[in-house]
Amino acid sequence: MLSKKILLAYDGSEQAKRALAFAVELAKVAKAKIGVVSVVPVHAGRIGIDPWDDQKVHSEELLEARRLIVEAGITPQLHEPYGEVAEEIVRTATDGGYDHIVTGSRHLGLVERTLQGSVSEAIATRFPATVTIIH
């Protein structure tokens, strides 16, 4: 079954740009709608230390993704939630009726995965429909 509504998790990284290209091609083939999400991380009980914690950066990422997708002939819906990244991506997909999430993988090592967690892995285990992880 082809996807009808695809949610792209986008952070501006090279992996995210590859995921964007994949999502656009898939949307064209499936004649699917596409949405883009960039989550502004909120870490309960601590100050954000991730350099991407800035809301302005996430807004710029969404504008970049929209520009690239519009250039491909598709008009995306944009989402910019705040919270725990994987949780908000899954919530956005579920609430928005998306049936497929496309995301990139940051290729974290064991230490980074232990300290930060793998967003793509968390999405894949929490979302009850198709998840494509682009390496």
Side-chain angles (χ1 to χ4, degrees):
M1 179 172 92
L2 290 176
S3 301
K4 299 291 183 211
K5 202 168 177 188
I6 302 163
L7 182 64
L8 168 67
Y10 192 79
D11 66 4
S13 67
E14 287 307 310
Q15 295 90 341
K17 289 177 182 172
R18 287 195 299 273
L20 183 146
F22 176 85
V24 165
E25 290 306 311
L26 179 61
K28 286 180 176 180
V29 168
K31 295 182 172 58
K33 294 182 179 182
I34 190 166
V36 183
V37 62
S38 180
V39 180
V40 179
V42 175
H43 307 288
R46 65 179 186 189
I47 297 173
I49 56 171
D50 189 331
W52 297 278
D53 280 351
D54 185 353
Q55 186 271 334
K56 182 179 181 215
V57 171
H58 290 274
S59 295
E60 290 170 359
E61 290 168 356
L62 283 172
L63 293 176
E64 174 186 52
R66 178 176 47 182
R67 179 184 55 79
L68 294 169
I69 294 169
V70 167
E71 285 175 3
I74 301 170
T75 302
Q77 182 175 1
L78 304 180
H79 306 275
E80 191 175 13
Y82 289 75
E84 191 275 317
V85 178
E87 181 179 304
E88 289 303 317
I89 292 169
V90 171
R91 186 192 58 71
T92 299
T94 302
D95 292 353
Y98 291 91
D99 59 1
H100 192 154
I101 297 175
V102 176
T103 185
S105 173
R106 295 187 294 164
H107 303 290
L108 298 177
L110 178 61
V111 173
E112 290 90 355
R113 275 196 318 272
T114 302
L115 294 175
Q116 298 175 15
S118 168
V119 171
S120 57
E121 182 180 322
I123 293 168
T125 58
R126 295 177 190 174
F127 188 59
T130 303
V131 176
T132 302
I133 301 170
I134 304 298
H135 294 274

